[in-house]
Coordinates of all heavy atoms in Angstrom, one line a residue:
M1 N 17.7 6.6 16.4 CA 17.5 6.8 15.0 C 16.1 6.8 14.7 O 15.3 5.9 15.0 CB 18.2 5.6 14.3 CG 17.9 5.4 12.8 SD 18.6 4.0 12.0 CE 19.7 3.2 13.0
D2 N 15.6 7.8 14.0 CA 14.2 7.9 13.6 C 14.1 7.7 12.1 O 14.9 8.3 11.3 CB 13.6 9.3 13.9 CG 13.3 9.4 15.3 OD1 13.0 8.4 16.0 OD2 13.2 10.5 15.8
L3 N 13.2 6.8 11.7 CA 13.0 6.5 10.3 C 11.5 6.9 10.0 O 10.7 7.0 10.9 CB 13.2 5.0 10.0 CG 14.7 4.6 10.2 CD1 14.7 3.0 10.2 CD2 15.6 5.1 9.1
K4 N 11.2 7.0 8.7 CA 10.0 7.4 8.3 C 9.3 6.2 7.5 O 9.9 5.8 6.5 CB 10.0 8.6 7.4 CG 10.6 9.8 8.1 CD 10.8 11.0 7.2 CE 11.5 12.1 7.9 NZ 12.1 13.0 7.0
F5 N 8.1 5.8 7.8 CA 7.4 4.8 7.1 C 7.0 5.4 5.7 O 6.8 6.7 5.6 CB 6.1 4.3 7.8 CG 6.5 3.3 8.9 CD1 5.9 3.4 10.2 CD2 7.3 2.2 8.6 CE1 6.2 2.5 11.1 CE2 7.5 1.2 9.6 CZ 7.0 1.4 10.9
A6 N 6.7 4.6 4.8 CA 6.3 5.0 3.5 C 4.9 5.7 3.6 O 4.1 5.4 4.4 CB 6.2 3.9 2.5
R7 N 4.7 6.7 2.7 CA 3.5 7.4 2.7 C 2.3 6.6 2.2 O 2.5 5.8 1.3 CB 3.6 8.7 1.8 CG 4.7 9.6 2.1 CD 5.0 10.5 0.9 NE 6.3 11.0 1.1 CZ 6.6 12.3 1.2 NH1 5.7 13.2 1.2 NH2 7.9 12.6 1.3
T8 N 1.2 6.8 2.8 CA 0.0 6.0 2.2 C -0.8 7.0 1.3 O -1.7 6.4 0.6 CB -1.0 5.6 3.4 OG1 -1.3 6.8 4.1 CG2 -0.3 4.6 4.2
D9 N -0.5 8.2 1.3 CA -1.0 9.2 0.3 C 0.0 10.1 -0.2 O 0.9 10.5 0.6 CB -2.1 10.0 1.0 CG -3.0 10.9 0.1 OD1 -2.8 10.8 -1.1 OD2 -3.7 11.7 0.7
L10 N 0.0 10.5 -1.4 CA 1.1 11.3 -2.0 C 1.2 12.6 -1.4 O 2.3 13.2 -1.3 CB 0.9 11.5 -3.5 CG 1.0 10.2 -4.4 CD1 0.7 10.5 -5.8 CD2 2.4 9.7 -4.2
D11 N 0.1 13.2 -0.9 CA 0.1 14.5 -0.3 C 0.4 14.5 1.3 O 0.6 15.5 1.9 CB -1.2 15.2 -0.5 CG -1.4 15.5 -2.0 OD1 -0.4 15.7 -2.7 OD2 -2.6 15.5 -2.4
A12 N 0.4 13.3 1.8 CA 0.6 13.2 3.3 C 2.1 13.2 3.7 O 2.9 12.9 2.8 CB 0.0 11.9 3.8
K13 N 2.3 13.5 4.9 CA 3.7 13.4 5.4 C 3.9 12.0 5.9 O 3.0 11.4 6.5 CB 3.9 14.5 6.5 CG 3.8 15.9 6.1 CD 4.2 16.8 7.2 CE 4.1 18.3 6.7 NZ 4.5 19.2 7.7
P14 N 5.2 11.6 5.8 CA 5.4 10.2 6.3 C 5.5 10.2 7.8 O 5.8 11.1 8.5 CB 6.9 9.9 5.7 CG 7.4 11.2 5.3 CD 6.3 12.1 5.1
K15 N 5.0 9.1 8.4 CA 5.0 8.9 9.8 C 6.4 8.4 10.3 O 6.9 7.5 9.7 CB 3.9 7.8 10.2 CG 2.5 8.3 9.8 CD 1.5 7.2 10.2 CE 0.1 7.7 9.8 NZ -0.9 6.7 10.0
K16 N 6.8 9.0 11.4 CA 8.1 8.6 12.0 C 8.0 7.4 13.0 O 7.0 7.2 13.6 CB 8.7 9.8 12.7 CG 9.1 10.9 11.8 CD 9.8 12.0 12.6 CE 10.2 13.1 11.7 NZ 10.9 14.2 12.4
V17 N 9.0 6.7 13.1 CA 9.1 5.5 13.9 C 10.5 5.4 14.5 O 11.5 5.7 13.8 CB 8.6 4.2 13.2 CG1 9.6 3.9 12.1 CG2 8.5 3.1 14.2
D18 N 10.6 5.1 15.8 CA 12.0 4.9 16.3 C 12.4 3.5 16.4 O 11.6 2.6 16.2 CB 12.1 5.6 17.7 CG 11.2 4.9 18.7 OD1 10.4 4.1 18.4 OD2 11.4 5.2 19.9
L19 N 13.7 3.2 16.6 CA 14.3 2.0 16.5 C 13.7 1.0 17.5 O 13.5 -0.2 17.2 CB 15.8 2.1 16.6 CG 16.6 0.8 16.4 CD1 16.4 0.3 14.9 CD2 18.0 1.1 16.5
S20 N 13.3 1.5 18.6 CA 12.8 0.5 19.7 C 11.4 -0.1 19.2 O 11.2 -1.3 19.5 CB 12.6 1.3 21.0 OG 11.7 2.3 20.9
K21 N 10.6 0.7 18.5 CA 9.4 0.2 18.1 C 9.6 -0.9 17.0 O 8.8 -1.9 16.9 CB 8.4 1.3 17.6 CG 8.0 2.2 18.7 CD 7.0 3.2 18.3 CE 6.6 4.1 19.4 NZ 5.7 5.2 19.0
L22 N 10.6 -0.7 16.1 CA 10.9 -1.6 15.1 C 11.4 -2.9 15.7 O 11.0 -4.0 15.3 CB 11.9 -1.0 14.1 CG 11.4 0.1 13.2 CD1 12.7 0.6 12.4 CD2 10.3 -0.3 12.3
D23 N 12.3 -2.7 16.7 CA 12.8 -3.9 17.4 C 11.7 -4.8 18.0 O 11.7 -6.0 17.9 CB 13.8 -3.5 18.5 CG 15.1 -3.1 18.0 OD1 15.4 -3.3 16.8 OD2 15.9 -2.5 18.7
A24 N 10.7 -4.1 18.6 CA 9.5 -4.9 19.2 C 8.8 -5.7 18.1 O 8.4 -6.8 18.4 CB 8.6 -3.9 19.9
E25 N 8.6 -5.1 17.0 CA 7.9 -5.8 15.9 C 8.7 -7.0 15.4 O 8.2 -8.0 15.1 CB 7.5 -4.8 14.8 CG 6.4 -3.9 15.1 CD 5.1 -4.6 15.4 OE1 4.7 -5.5 14.7 OE2 4.5 -4.2 16.4
V26 N 10.0 -6.7 15.2 CA 10.9 -7.8 14.7 C 10.9 -9.0 15.7 O 11.0 -10.1 15.2 CB 12.3 -7.2 14.4 CG1 13.3 -8.3 14.2 CG2 12.2 -6.2 13.3
E27 N 10.9 -8.7 17.0 CA 11.0 -9.8 18.0 C 9.7 -10.6 18.0 O 9.7 -11.8 18.3 CB 11.3 -9.2 19.4 CG 12.7 -8.7 19.5 CD 13.7 -9.7 19.3 OE1 13.6 -10.9 19.7 OE2 14.7 -9.4 18.6
K28 N 8.6 -9.9 17.6 CA 7.3 -10.7 17.6 C 7.2 -11.6 16.4 O 6.4 -12.6 16.5 CB 6.1 -9.7 17.5 CG 5.9 -8.9 18.7 CD 4.6 -8.1 18.5 CE 4.5 -6.8 19.4 NZ 3.4 -6.0 19.0
N29 N 7.9 -11.3 15.3 CA 7.7 -12.1 14.1 C 9.0 -12.7 13.6 O 10.0 -12.1 13.8 CB 7.2 -11.1 13.0 CG 5.9 -10.5 13.4 OD1 4.9 -11.1 13.5 ND2 6.0 -9.1 13.5
D30 N 8.9 -13.9 13.0 CA 10.1 -14.5 12.4 C 10.5 -13.8 11.1 O 11.7 -13.8 10.8 CB 9.9 -16.0 12.1 CG 9.7 -16.8 13.4 OD1 10.3 -16.4 14.4 OD2 9.2 -17.9 13.3
S31 N 9.5 -13.3 10.4 CA 9.8 -12.6 9.2 C 8.9 -11.4 9.1 O 7.6 -11.6 9.3 CB 9.6 -13.6 8.0 OG 9.7 -12.9 6.7
I32 N 9.4 -10.2 8.7 CA 8.5 -9.0 8.7 C 9.0 -8.2 7.6 O 10.3 -8.0 7.3 CB 8.5 -8.3 10.0 CG1 7.4 -7.2 10.0 CG2 9.8 -7.7 10.4 CD1 7.0 -6.7 11.4
I33 N 8.2 -7.4 6.9 CA 8.5 -6.5 5.8 C 8.0 -5.1 6.3 O 6.9 -4.9 6.7 CB 7.8 -6.9 4.5 CG1 8.3 -8.3 4.1 CG2 8.1 -5.9 3.4 CD1 7.7 -8.8 2.8
F34 N 8.9 -4.1 6.1 CA 8.6 -2.7 6.4 C 8.8 -2.0 5.1 O 9.7 -2.3 4.3 CB 9.5 -2.1 7.4 CG 9.4 -2.7 8.8 CD1 10.5 -3.5 9.3 CD2 8.3 -2.5 9.6 CE1 10.4 -3.9 10.6 CE2 8.2 -3.0 10.8 CZ 9.3 -3.7 11.4
Y35 N 8.0 -0.9 4.9 CA 8.2 0.0 3.8 C 8.5 1.4 4.3 O 7.7 1.9 5.1 CB 6.9 0.0 2.9 CG 6.6 -1.3 2.2 CD1 5.8 -2.2 2.8 CD2 7.2 -1.6 1.0 CE1 5.5 -3.5 2.2 CE2 6.9 -2.7 0.3 CZ 6.1 -3.7 1.0 OH 5.9 -4.9 0.3
F36 N 9.7 1.9 3.9 CA 10.2 3.2 4.3 C 10.1 4.2 3.2 O 10.2 3.9 2.0 CB 11.6 3.0 4.9 CG 11.7 2.2 6.1 CD1 12.2 0.9 6.1 CD2 11.3 2.7 7.3 CE1 12.3 0.1 7.2 CE2 11.4 2.0 8.5 CZ 11.8 0.7 8.4
D37 N 9.9 5.4 3.6 CA 9.8 6.5 2.7 C 11.1 6.9 2.0 O 12.2 6.6 2.5 CB 9.2 7.8 3.4 CG 8.6 8.8 2.4 OD1 7.6 8.5 1.9 OD2 9.3 9.8 2.2
K38 N 11.0 7.5 0.8 CA 12.2 7.9 0.1 C 13.0 9.0 0.8 O 14.1 9.3 0.5 CB 11.8 8.3 -1.3 CG 10.9 9.5 -1.4 CD 10.5 9.8 -2.8 CE 9.6 11.0 -2.7 NZ 9.0 11.3 -4.0
D39 N 12.3 9.6 1.7 CA 13.0 10.8 2.4 C 14.0 10.3 3.5 O 14.8 11.1 4.0 CB 11.9 11.7 3.2 CG 11.1 12.5 2.3 OD1 11.5 12.6 1.1 OD2 10.0 13.0 2.7
N40 N 14.1 9.0 3.7 CA 15.1 8.4 4.7 C 16.4 8.5 4.0 O 16.5 8.3 2.8 CB 14.7 7.0 5.0 CG 13.5 6.9 5.9 OD1 13.5 7.4 7.0 ND2 12.5 6.2 5.4
S41 N 17.4 8.8 4.7 CA 18.8 8.8 4.1 C 19.3 7.3 4.0 O 19.0 6.5 4.8 CB 19.7 9.6 5.0 OG 20.1 8.9 6.2
H42 N 20.0 7.1 3.0 CA 20.5 5.7 2.7 C 21.5 5.4 3.8 O 21.5 4.2 4.2 CB 21.2 5.8 1.3 CG 21.5 4.4 0.8 ND1 20.5 3.6 0.3 CD2 22.7 3.8 0.7 CE1 21.1 2.4 -0.1 NE2 22.4 2.5 0.2
K43 N 22.1 6.4 4.4 CA 23.0 6.1 5.5 C 22.3 5.5 6.7 O 22.8 4.6 7.4 CB 23.8 7.4 5.8 CG 24.7 7.3 7.0 CD 25.3 8.6 7.3 CE 26.3 8.6 8.5 NZ 26.8 9.9 8.8
D44 N 21.1 6.0 7.0 CA 20.3 5.5 8.1 C 19.8 4.1 7.8 O 19.8 3.3 8.8 CB 19.1 6.4 8.4 CG 19.5 7.7 9.1 OD1 20.6 7.8 9.6 OD2 18.7 8.7 9.1
L45 N 19.4 3.9 6.6 CA 19.0 2.5 6.3 C 20.2 1.5 6.3 O 20.0 0.4 6.7 CB 18.3 2.5 4.9 CG 17.0 3.2 4.8 CD1 16.5 3.4 3.4 CD2 16.0 2.5 5.6
L46 N 21.4 1.9 6.0 CA 22.5 1.0 6.1 C 22.9 0.8 7.6 O 23.2 -0.3 7.9 CB 23.7 1.6 5.4 CG 23.6 1.6 3.9 CD1 24.8 2.2 3.2 CD2 23.4 0.2 3.3
A47 N 22.6 1.8 8.5 CA 22.8 1.7 9.9 C 21.8 0.7 10.5 O 22.1 -0.1 11.3 CB 22.7 3.0 10.6
L48 N 20.6 0.7 9.9 CA 19.5 -0.2 10.3 C 19.9 -1.6 9.9 O 19.8 -2.6 10.7 CB 18.2 0.2 9.6 CG 17.0 -0.6 10.0 CD1 16.5 -0.3 11.5 CD2 15.9 -0.3 9.1
Q49 N 20.5 -1.8 8.7 CA 21.0 -3.1 8.3 C 22.1 -3.6 9.3 O 22.0 -4.8 9.7 CB 21.5 -3.0 6.9 CG 22.1 -4.3 6.4 CD 22.5 -4.2 4.9 OE1 22.6 -3.1 4.3 NE2 22.9 -5.3 4.4
D50 N 23.0 -2.8 9.6 CA 24.1 -3.2 10.5 C 23.5 -3.6 11.9 O 24.0 -4.5 12.5 CB 25.1 -2.1 10.7 CG 25.9 -1.8 9.4 OD1 25.9 -2.7 8.5 OD2 26.5 -0.7 9.3
H51 N 22.5 -2.8 12.3 CA 21.9 -3.1 13.6 C 21.3 -4.5 13.6 O 21.5 -5.3 14.6 CB 20.8 -2.1 13.9 CG 20.0 -2.4 15.1 ND1 20.5 -2.2 16.4 CD2 18.7 -2.8 15.2 CE1 19.5 -2.5 17.2 NE2 18.4 -2.9 16.5
Y52 N 20.5 -4.9 12.6 CA 19.8 -6.2 12.6 C 20.7 -7.3 12.2 O 20.6 -8.4 12.8 CB 18.6 -6.1 11.7 CG 17.5 -5.5 12.3 CD1 17.0 -4.2 11.8 CD2 16.9 -5.9 13.5 CE1 16.0 -3.5 12.4 CE2 15.9 -5.2 14.2 CZ 15.4 -4.0 13.6 OH 14.5 -3.3 14.3
E53 N 21.8 -7.0 11.4 CA 22.7 -8.1 11.1 C 23.6 -8.5 12.4 O 24.0 -9.6 12.6 CB 23.6 -7.7 9.9 CG 22.9 -7.9 8.7 CD 23.7 -7.5 7.5 OE1 24.8 -6.9 7.6 OE2 23.2 -7.7 6.4
A54 N 23.8 -7.5 13.2 CA 24.6 -7.6 14.5 C 23.8 -8.5 15.4 O 24.3 -9.2 16.3 CB 25.0 -6.3 15.1
M55 N 22.4 -8.4 15.3 CA 21.5 -9.3 16.1 C 21.3 -10.7 15.6 O 20.6 -11.5 16.1 CB 20.2 -8.6 16.2 CG 20.1 -7.3 17.0 SD 18.6 -6.4 16.9 CE 17.4 -7.6 17.6
G56 N 22.0 -11.0 14.4 CA 21.9 -12.3 13.8 C 20.7 -12.4 12.9 O 20.4 -13.6 12.5
K57 N 20.1 -11.3 12.5 CA 19.0 -11.4 11.6 C 19.4 -11.3 10.1 O 20.5 -10.7 9.9 CB 18.0 -10.3 11.9 CG 17.5 -10.2 13.3 CD 16.5 -11.2 13.6 CE 15.9 -11.0 14.9 NZ 15.0 -12.0 15.3
S58 N 18.7 -11.8 9.2 CA 19.0 -11.6 7.8 C 18.2 -10.3 7.3 O 17.1 -10.1 7.7 CB 18.5 -12.7 6.9 OG 19.2 -13.9 7.3
F59 N 18.8 -9.5 6.6 CA 18.3 -8.2 6.2 C 18.4 -8.0 4.7 O 19.4 -8.2 4.1 CB 19.1 -7.1 6.8 CG 18.6 -5.7 6.7 CD1 17.8 -5.1 7.7 CD2 18.9 -5.0 5.5 CE1 17.4 -3.8 7.5 CE2 18.5 -3.6 5.4 CZ 17.6 -3.1 6.4
Y60 N 17.2 -7.7 4.0 CA 17.2 -7.6 2.6 C 16.5 -6.2 2.3 O 15.4 -6.0 2.8 CB 16.5 -8.7 1.9 CG 16.4 -8.5 0.4 CD1 17.5 -8.6 -0.4 CD2 15.2 -8.2 -0.2 CE1 17.4 -8.4 -1.8 CE2 15.0 -7.9 -1.5 CZ 16.2 -8.1 -2.3 OH 16.1 -7.9 -3.7
M61 N 17.1 -5.4 1.5 CA 16.6 -4.0 1.2 C 16.6 -3.8 -0.3 O 17.5 -4.2 -1.0 CB 17.4 -2.9 1.9 CG 16.8 -1.6 1.6 SD 17.7 -0.2 2.5 CE 19.4 -0.4 1.9
S62 N 15.4 -3.3 -0.8 CA 15.4 -2.9 -2.2 C 14.5 -1.7 -2.4 O 13.7 -1.3 -1.5 CB 14.8 -4.1 -3.0 OG 13.4 -4.4 -2.6
E63 N 14.7 -1.1 -3.5 CA 13.8 0.0 -3.9 C 12.6 -0.5 -4.7 O 12.8 -1.3 -5.6 CB 14.6 1.1 -4.7 CG 15.6 1.9 -4.0 CD 16.2 2.9 -4.9 OE1 15.9 3.1 -6.1 OE2 17.2 3.5 -4.4
V64 N 11.4 0.0 -4.4 CA 10.2 -0.4 -5.1 C 9.7 0.9 -5.7 O 9.4 1.9 -5.1 CB 9.1 -1.0 -4.1 CG1 7.9 -1.3 -4.8 CG2 9.7 -2.1 -3.3
K65 N 9.5 0.8 -7.1 CA 9.0 1.9 -7.9 C 7.5 1.8 -7.9 O 7.0 0.7 -8.1 CB 9.6 1.9 -9.3 CG 11.1 2.2 -9.3 CD 11.2 3.4 -10.2 CE 12.6 3.8 -10.3 NZ 12.8 5.2 -10.3
Y66 N 6.8 2.9 -7.7 CA 5.3 2.8 -7.8 C 4.8 3.8 -8.8 O 3.6 4.0 -8.9 CB 4.7 3.1 -6.4 CG 5.0 4.3 -5.8 CD1 4.4 5.5 -6.1 CD2 6.1 4.4 -4.8 CE1 4.7 6.7 -5.4 CE2 6.4 5.6 -4.2 CZ 5.7 6.7 -4.5 OH 6.0 7.9 -3.9
G67 N 5.6 4.4 -9.6 CA 5.2 5.4 -10.6 C 6.2 5.4 -11.7 O 7.3 4.8 -11.6
L68 N 6.0 6.3 -12.7 CA 6.9 6.4 -13.8 C 8.0 7.5 -13.5 O 9.1 7.4 -14.2 CB 6.1 6.8 -15.1 CG 5.1 5.8 -15.5 CD1 4.3 6.3 -16.7 CD2 5.8 4.5 -15.9
A69 N 7.8 8.3 -12.6 CA 8.9 9.3 -12.3 C 10.0 8.7 -11.6 O 9.9 7.7 -10.8 CB 8.2 10.5 -11.5
D70 N 11.2 9.3 -11.7 CA 12.3 8.7 -11.1 C 12.2 8.8 -9.5 O 12.9 8.0 -8.8 CB 13.6 9.5 -11.5 CG 14.1 9.1 -12.9 OD1 13.6 8.0 -13.4 OD2 14.8 9.9 -13.5
N71 N 11.5 9.8 -9.0 CA 11.4 9.9 -7.5 C 10.2 9.3 -7.0 O 9.8 9.6 -5.8 CB 11.5 11.4 -7.2 CG 10.3 12.2 -7.7 OD1 9.6 11.7 -8.6 ND2 10.1 13.4 -7.3
D72 N 9.6 8.4 -7.7 CA 8.4 7.7 -7.2 C 8.9 6.3 -6.8 O 8.7 5.3 -7.5 CB 7.3 7.5 -8.3 CG 6.6 8.8 -8.6 OD1 6.7 9.7 -7.8 OD2 6.0 8.9 -9.7
Y73 N 9.4 6.2 -5.6 CA 9.9 5.0 -5.0 C 9.9 5.0 -3.5 O 9.7 6.0 -2.9 CB 11.4 4.7 -5.5 CG 12.4 5.6 -4.9 CD1 13.0 5.2 -3.8 CD2 12.7 6.8 -5.5 CE1 14.0 6.1 -3.2 CE2 13.7 7.7 -4.9 CZ 14.3 7.3 -3.8 OH 15.3 8.1 -3.3
M74 N 10.0 3.8 -3.0 CA 10.1 3.6 -1.6 C 11.0 2.5 -1.3 O 11.4 1.8 -2.2 CB 8.7 3.3 -0.9 CG 8.1 2.0 -1.4 SD 6.5 1.6 -0.7 CE 5.5 2.4 -1.9
Y75 N 11.4 2.3 -0.1 CA 12.4 1.2 0.3 C 11.6 0.1 0.9 O 10.8 0.3 1.8 CB 13.4 1.7 1.3 CG 14.4 2.7 0.8 CD1 14.2 4.1 1.0 CD2 15.4 2.3 -0.1 CE1 15.0 5.0 0.5 CE2 16.3 3.3 -0.6 CZ 16.1 4.7 -0.3 OH 17.0 5.6 -0.8
Q76 N 11.9 -1.1 0.5 CA 11.3 -2.3 1.1 C 12.4 -3.0 1.9 O 13.4 -3.3 1.3 CB 10.7 -3.3 0.0 CG 10.1 -4.5 0.6 CD 9.8 -5.6 -0.5 OE1 10.1 -5.4 -1.7 NE2 9.1 -6.6 -0.1
V77 N 12.1 -3.3 3.1 CA 13.0 -3.9 4.0 C 12.4 -5.2 4.5 O 11.3 -5.1 5.1 CB 13.5 -3.0 5.2 CG1 14.3 -3.7 6.2 CG2 14.2 -1.8 4.6
H78 N 13.1 -6.3 4.3 CA 12.6 -7.6 4.8 C 13.6 -8.1 5.8 O 14.8 -8.3 5.5 CB 12.5 -8.6 3.6 CG 11.8 -9.8 3.9 ND1 11.6 -10.8 2.9 CD2 11.3 -10.3 5.0 CE1 10.9 -11.8 3.5 NE2 10.8 -11.5 4.8
I79 N 13.1 -8.4 7.0 CA 14.0 -8.8 8.1 C 13.6 -10.2 8.5 O 12.3 -10.4 8.8 CB 13.9 -7.8 9.3 CG1 14.3 -6.4 8.8 CG2 14.8 -8.3 10.4 CD1 14.1 -5.3 9.9
M80 N 14.5 -11.2 8.5 CA 14.2 -12.5 8.8 C 15.1 -13.0 10.0 O 16.2 -12.6 10.0 CB 14.3 -13.4 7.6 CG 13.4 -13.0 6.5 SD 13.8 -13.9 4.9 CE 15.1 -12.7 4.4
S81 N 14.6 -14.0 10.7 CA 15.4 -14.7 11.7 C 16.3 -15.7 11.1 O 16.1 -16.2 10.2 CB 14.5 -15.4 12.8 OG 13.7 -14.5 13.4

C-alpha cells in the first residue's frame, strides 16, 4: 500500500511512502503523528487503521482544514502504543 504525505507547497506533488517505512517509524516512537495528502483514498486510510489496530496500536484520524475552500484539507493520523 502506497500512501502520500501531505504537500508542503500547494503546487508540489505529494511524496509517496510505503507501509514498511511507516512501520519502521511507528516502532521507533511510542506516539507519532503523520499528515497525509487529500489525494489518498479513504479506503486506503481505513486499511492503514486496520493494520495498526491489528498490531495493538491506538489509531486516531481526522481531517485538518488549512484554507477556506472545501478541498483545502489533509488527514492527520496519530498512532500510539
Side-chain angles (χ1 to χ4, degrees):
M1 166 184 354
D2 282 336
L3 295 167
K4 299 172 188 163
F5 281 132
R7 303 162 203 245
T8 55
D9 187 10
L10 292 177
D11 297 329
K13 291 185 179 182
K15 294 179 183 173
K16 291 184 180 181
V17 63
D18 64 352
L19 189 57
S20 63
K21 290 182 182 178
L22 292 177
D23 284 346
E25 288 298 318
V26 169
E27 290 302 317
K28 287 185 203 174
N29 302 294
D30 289 336
S31 175
I32 191 163
I33 297 175
F34 295 112
Y35 292 94
F36 293 106
D37 199 73
K38 64 184 176 186
D39 289 347
N40 290 301
S41 73
H42 195 70
K43 182 180 175 181
D44 284 344
L45 292 169
L46 291 178
L48 184 70
Q49 178 178 5
D50 292 342
H51 172 74
Y52 285 114
E53 286 179 347
M55 293 173 59
K57 307 281 185 188
S58 296
F59 186 97
Y60 177 73
M61 179 175 62
S62 63
E63 287 184 6
V64 177
K65 292 243 181 218
Y66 58 84
L68 297 176
D70 286 341
N71 63 348
D72 289 343
Y73 69 93
M74 66 182 86
Y75 295 101
Q76 176 186 12
V77 171
H78 190 177
I79 303 168
M80 298 169 276
S81 294

